[in-house]
Amino acid sequence: MYQLNQEKAMTNLNYRPRLAITLGDPAGIGTEVILKALADGTVGQDCDLTLVGNRSLLLKNYTSFKENGNIDFLANPAELSILDVNLQNNIQDKVTIGVENAASGAASFAFMEAAIAATLAGDFDGIVTGPIAKSAWKAAGHVYPGQTELLAQKAGVEKFGMLFVARSPRTNWTLRTLLATTHIPLCQVPEALTPELMTLKLDLLVECLEKDFGIENGNVAIAGLNPHSGEKGQLGCEEADWLIDWLEEEKKKRPNLTLQGLIPPDTMWVKPGQAWYGNKDVSVADGYLALYHDQGLIPVKLMAFDRAVNTTIGLPFIRTSPDHGTAFDIAGKGIADATSMKAAIELASELVCVRLGSR
C-alpha cells in the first residue's frame, strides 16, 4: 500500500470502492493498458470497477488485438461492467487506432463528461482516467489545459492541484510531489507564482497528507525557483523579493508542521532519489512542493516513469490517472506497459477507503 493510514484503511476493508475508469483517447493506448491491467487478477479484487466509454470502440480495439495475436493477457470486455457512452456516427467512424484527430478527442471528452456526471450523482466514489491528448480535445472544440481543469470545473472547485504519487519497488517508500503551477509556458511561471497561490497549494498538500494519507503534522519540502534558490539575488530575485518571507510566515502559522526550504532545485531530489533506489534510512519529506511542471516531473518520471500516478487533489471525490500520455506511436502494437494504470487503480481504491475512514 502507498504508506496510507492503515488503521483508517482497515475500518473500511468491508467496503468496496466504486470506481469509474474512463477509456481515454480511443486512438491511443488507453484501451490496451486498461484491459491489460484488468487481466491481472489482483487488480480490482477489492473494488467495483466500471469502464466508461463507447462499447463498440472498446470491442473493436479488443478484437483487433486478439486477431493480431500480439497480446495474450487481456480482460474480455464481455465480462466487464461498462457504462456505454453513445457517440455520433461521424465521430465513431472516424476513430482509428494510432491516429490523433478531432473525433478521438471528442470521444475521450464525452467519456470524461459521463464519468464526472455519474460520480457527482453518487454512482461512483472516484474516477481513474485513461490518457487523453489535449491537442485532440482542442481540435474537437474543447479547450482545456488538461483533464485536471475539466474535473475541477465540473466539480465546482477553485482550489485544486496535481499531486504525483509513486511507490518504490525497491524500498516501498512513497514519493508525493505537488506542482504549484502546471500546464503553462516556463516564461509565465514567475508571474503566476504569488504568495496567495503558494499558500493555496501548501494548504492542499497538507490537507491531502492528512485526509488521504493519514499523515498529521507532516514534513514538507519546498523548492526554490531559481538555480541555487537565487543565491541571495545573484541568480534570480523571486526568493529574495518574497518567497523567503512567505515561507517564514508559513512556518509561524503552522508550528506543528516541518517546512523545509527553500531547497535549491538541483539538490532537492537527491534524498528522494536515495530513498527510491535503496537507502531506507535516508531522511525524506512526506511531500514535495515543486514550483513548476518540469521541476517536479523530471525527477518523478526519472524515478518512476512506469508506476507514477497523477492524483487530482481538492476534488470532492478521488481521481487518479497513470502518469503517461496516449502514445499514439505505439498504439495498437500490444507493447504498452500497464504498470502505471494498475498503480492508479490500486491507489484510487485505497484513497477512497482512507477518505471514508476519516469522516
Side-chain angles (χ1 to χ4, degrees):
M1 298 178 74
Y2 284 78
Q3 291 183 348
L4 307 179
N5 185 307
Q6 301 299 307
E7 181 179 347
K8 290 181 178 179
M10 290 293 288
T11 63
N12 287 282
L13 279 179
N14 293 327
Y15 181 78
R16 294 180 61 83
R18 303 163 301 157
L19 302 178
I21 305 179
T22 65
L23 294 182
D25 194 303
I29 62 172
T31 298
E32 180 182 343
V33 296
I34 290 169
L35 294 183
K36 279 183 174 179
L38 298 185
D40 183 338
T42 65
V43 174
Q45 61 182 358
D46 297 323
C47 55
D48 293 328
L49 305 176
T50 299
L51 302 189
V52 180
N54 181 264
R55 187 185 299 271
S56 295
L57 286 176
L58 174 61
L59 292 174
K60 177 182 177 182
N61 286 351
Y62 172 75
T63 301
S64 176
F65 285 128
K66 299 300 288 186
E67 289 178 348
N68 291 339
N70 52 359
I71 307 180
D72 294 326
F73 45 99
L74 282 178
N76 187 341
E79 300 173 357
L80 303 175
S81 173
I82 301 173
L83 175 58
D84 192 13
V85 179
N86 291 325
L87 299 173
Q88 297 177 359
N89 289 336
N90 63 340
I91 293 177
Q92 187 169 319
D93 294 343
K94 293 180 181 178
V95 173
T96 302
I97 193 75
V99 179
E100 172 191 354
N101 57 27
S104 69
S108 63
F109 191 85
F111 303 161
M112 275 293 294
E113 284 196 309
I116 294 170
T119 303
L120 291 175
D123 296 336
F124 303 109
D125 301 307
I127 304 173
V128 180
T129 58
I132 63 97
K134 303 174 188 68
S135 53
W137 273 19
K138 185 176 181 180
H142 306 296
V143 183
Y144 289 88
Q147 297 186 95
T148 299
E149 291 76 13
L150 174 63
L151 286 154
Q153 182 192 84
K154 294 292 185 180
V157 299
E158 296 182 357
K159 299 178 180 179
F160 59 94
M162 292 175 63
L163 178 74
F164 293 84
V165 181
R167 181 179 59 194
S168 169
R170 297 170 177 82
T171 63
N172 282 326
W173 174 68
T174 299
L175 171 67
R176 305 176 190 88
T177 301
L178 180 66
L179 306 182
T181 60
T182 53
H183 298 121
I184 60 174
L186 186 59
C187 63
Q188 295 179 12
V189 170
E191 182 178 347
L193 287 172
T194 63
E196 293 76 19
L197 177 67
M198 290 294 294
T199 297
L200 183 155
K201 297 297 183 178
L202 183 56
D203 284 342
L204 282 169
L205 181 54
V206 171
E207 179 183 357
C208 174
L209 290 174
E210 294 177 352
K211 183 169 66 174
D212 293 336
F213 292 93
I215 300 173
E216 299 180 358
N217 304 324
N219 183 330
V220 176
I222 302 167
L225 175 64
N226 295 293
H228 301 184
S229 290
E231 200 158 309
K232 297 182 179 181
Q234 298 302 305
L235 301 177
C237 60
E238 287 81 7
E239 287 84 358
D241 284 353
W242 65 272
L243 273 167
I244 293 174
D245 290 341
W246 166 81
L247 182 55
E248 291 305 311
E249 286 299 313
E250 292 297 330
K251 288 180 179 179
K252 294 176 183 177
K253 289 163 47 180
R254 308 170 192 263
N256 294 328
L257 293 177
T258 300
L259 299 179
Q260 304 178 45
L262 302 165
I263 303 177
D266 61 339
T267 58
M268 186 165 86
W269 306 106
V270 173
K271 289 183 177 180
Q274 292 170 341
W276 183 271
Y277 287 107
N279 188 341
K280 297 181 180 180
D281 299 321
V282 67
S283 175
V284 286
D286 299 307
Y288 290 82
L289 181 55
L291 303 196
Y292 58 91
H293 186 277
D294 286 5
Q295 186 188 70
L297 288 191
I298 288 175
V300 167
K301 294 192 176 185
L302 179 64
M303 288 184 272
F305 182 76
D306 62 343
R307 60 187 65 242
V309 178
N310 176 5
T311 306
T312 304
I313 60 177
L315 298 175
F317 51 82
I318 297 297
R319 180 265 175 152
T320 65
S321 178
D323 183 26
H324 60 67
T326 49
F328 292 113
D329 58 321
I330 64 170
K333 297 181 180 179
I335 59 175
D337 189 338
T339 304
S340 187
M341 176 57 73
K342 292 180 182 180
I345 295 170
E346 176 188 343
L347 181 59
S349 179
E350 295 176 0
L351 291 179
V352 166
C353 289
V354 174
R355 184 173 291 194
L356 289 174
S358 66
R359 292 177 181 173

